[in-house]
Amino acid sequence: DDQYYLIDLVESSFNIFLESEFSVHKDYGKQYHKMSDAMMQKSIVGLYEKIDKNLKFRFMEKFDNLEIFINNTIERYAGLFFPMESLSKNVIFITANEVMSVEEGRILVHEMGHDFEFENAKKNGVTSIWNGIVRTIYPEVCSSFFEYAYINYLIENNIYKEDAMILKRRYLNQIYYFLSYLLIIFNHRNLNIDPEFNIKLENKEIVDYANSILEMMNSSDDLFEIDDKLNFRTPFVYGIGKLIAIYVYDAYKNNSKEFLSNFKKSLLEYKDKGMDAFSHLGITYDSLIEGKVLKRALTECK
């Protein structure tokens, strides 16, 4: 329904990355420093106490109820969130290295963001929550907001600041790549989406265009070839979700007192109102296309 707005948004945001000369290679090969379990939990609690102390108690409750697990067999995912509405439980799996770091903290806060959205919906009498939000492009906004807020909390409080800056650039790097995939998707005249939500790069014209995008980004990724596939849903859900989350965070910083109630309203309404739901936070397609907040985030990362 919003394809023309989305095309403008993707093109303008991608151009902002280009104009900022954002480097996709800046942190190539860098490793995070060791972070103890206790320090990781303390840093997450510190963030929650700033946003809403109830989040801290919810976090502690999930540990007490054994709803958070380390699971390194989930392959393509850093973390997974499983809502079990009939049991009133939301189970979280995260992957973890033998030595913890800010990366595990980022993953855990992201998945806890899903828990926040589902609890908010449940408290407001919403049932079959996933069925309502899965058909939108916004189910990663909430989780990405908490992830981005955690990264900035670490930076602002000088907690593993060097590692947190790497996290922030990698967060932006993900958006950059998702935007590039969306440009390629929009370049298709006819979208044939298979049952796994993949589209095929079917001809030389599309492949040449896709590779020209990689060239603009100065990416060292392997070039696309005919019959390569791109997932249709992932870049929308994560690319647009992570991008909007930057603006949600800006709304939080500008008006922390009213933020939580406005954010909760937006999360309840987006399945019906789409982007208009985020107007409670002052976020519109026009403000996203203008890109002031994204430009500032990219400048901060330099």
Side-chain angles (χ1 to χ4, degrees), residues 121-135:
K122 189 173 75 174
K123 286 175 181 176
N124 283 276
V126 180
T127 57
S128 298
I129 302 163
W130 181 243
N131 288 338
I133 68 177
V134 72
R135 293 172 175 83

Side-chain angles (χ1 to χ4, degrees), residues 71-116:
N71 184 336
N72 288 328
T73 69
I74 52 180
E75 297 179 351
R76 293 184 297 124
Y77 301 95
L80 286 174
F81 172 80
F82 287 99
M84 300 179 179
E85 291 183 58
S86 60
L87 300 176
S88 290
K89 283 182 178 287
N90 299 323
V91 175
I92 289 172
F93 288 159
I94 68 165
T95 58
N97 295 307
E98 287 186 20
V99 177
M100 293 283 191
S101 71
V102 292
E103 171 69 2
E104 281 75 19
R106 175 197 72 80
I107 297 167
L108 182 50
V109 170
H110 180 101
E111 300 307 325
M112 282 295 299
H114 289 301
D115 182 79
F116 174 85

Side-chain angles (χ1 to χ4, degrees), residues 65-292:
N65 291 342
L66 301 177
E67 293 180 33
I68 298 175
F69 299 91
I70 291 176
N71 184 336
N72 288 328
T73 69
I74 52 180
E75 297 179 351
R76 293 184 297 124
Y77 301 95
L80 286 174
F81 172 80
F82 287 99
M84 300 179 179
E85 291 183 58
S86 60
L87 300 176
S88 290
K89 283 182 178 287
N90 299 323
V91 175
I92 289 172
F93 288 159
I94 68 165
T95 58
N97 295 307
E98 287 186 20
V99 177
M100 293 283 191
S101 71
V102 292
E103 171 69 2
E104 281 75 19
R106 175 197 72 80
I107 297 167
L108 182 50
V109 170
H110 180 101
E111 300 307 325
M112 282 295 299
H114 289 301
D115 182 79
F116 174 85
E117 178 168 2
F118 272 69
E119 281 300 291
N120 178 52
K122 189 173 75 174
K123 286 175 181 176
N124 283 276
V126 180
T127 57
S128 298
I129 302 163
W130 181 243
N131 288 338
I133 68 177
V134 72
R135 293 172 175 83
T136 77
I137 59 173
Y138 307 109
E140 292 297 331
V141 172
C142 184
S143 55
S144 296
F145 158 71
F146 281 102
E147 175 185 349
Y148 191 69
Y150 177 66
I151 293 168
N152 283 285
Y153 175 82
L154 295 176
I155 293 169
E156 290 165 5
N157 291 277
N158 290 306
I159 303 170
Y160 289 74
K161 186 172 183 177
E162 181 185 340
D163 289 10
M165 287 301 298
I166 295 172
L167 274 182
K168 189 166 183 174
R169 286 190 290 268
R170 287 178 175 170
Y171 180 100
L172 290 164
N173 201 31
Q174 285 183 316
I175 296 175
Y176 198 13
Y177 271 100
F178 286 132
L179 290 172
S180 73
Y181 301 151
L182 289 172
L183 286 175
I184 296 165
I185 289 168
F186 285 136
N187 195 248
H188 281 68
R189 290 189 180 88
N190 298 299
L191 285 173
N192 296 314
I193 305 170
D194 71 19
E196 295 182 345
F197 286 97
N198 292 319
I199 63 166
K200 192 182 288 186
L201 308 187
E202 294 179 334
N203 58 58
K204 185 177 183 301
E205 181 184 354
I206 289 174
V207 168
D208 287 347
Y209 175 76
N211 288 330
S212 73
I213 295 292
L214 292 180
E215 188 177 338
M216 281 187 242
M217 298 169 67
N218 194 27
S219 171
S220 60
D221 283 14
D222 292 338
L223 294 177
F224 290 105
E225 297 179 354
I226 292 175
D227 290 339
D228 278 352
K229 291 182 177 181
L230 279 180
N231 188 271
F232 179 82
R233 184 173 182 272
T234 298
F236 277 106
V237 171
Y238 286 95
I240 302 299
K242 282 180 173 287
L243 180 61
I244 293 174
I246 295 175
Y247 290 77
V248 175
Y249 178 74
D250 187 65
Y252 159 66
K253 295 297 286 184
N254 288 333
N255 188 356
S256 59
K257 286 185 179 179
E258 296 180 14
F259 168 76
L260 213 58
S261 62
N262 289 331
F263 189 36
K264 288 178 178 179
K265 286 178 195 171
S266 298
L267 295 175
L268 289 171
E269 293 178 5
Y270 73 68
K271 69 182 187 301
D272 301 311
K273 294 185 177 180
M275 182 62 77
D276 288 344
F278 296 99
S279 63
H280 294 297
L281 300 167
I283 301 169
T284 63
Y285 269 123
D286 287 341
S287 65
L288 291 169
I289 291 168
E290 187 180 14
K292 283 184 179 179

Side-chain angles (χ1 to χ4, degrees), residues 25-55:
H25 305 296
K26 185 174 179 65
D27 299 308
Y28 181 77
K30 289 183 181 178
Q31 301 295 317
Y32 299 114
H33 295 89
K34 178 181 178 180
M35 189 183 209
S36 69
D37 295 6
M39 185 63 206
M40 181 183 72
Q41 291 180 38
K42 184 179 178 182
S43 65
I44 293 172
V45 166
L47 169 69
Y48 288 160
E49 286 183 329
K50 285 196 66 124
I51 298 176
D52 178 5
K53 287 187 179 179
N54 289 323
L55 293 169

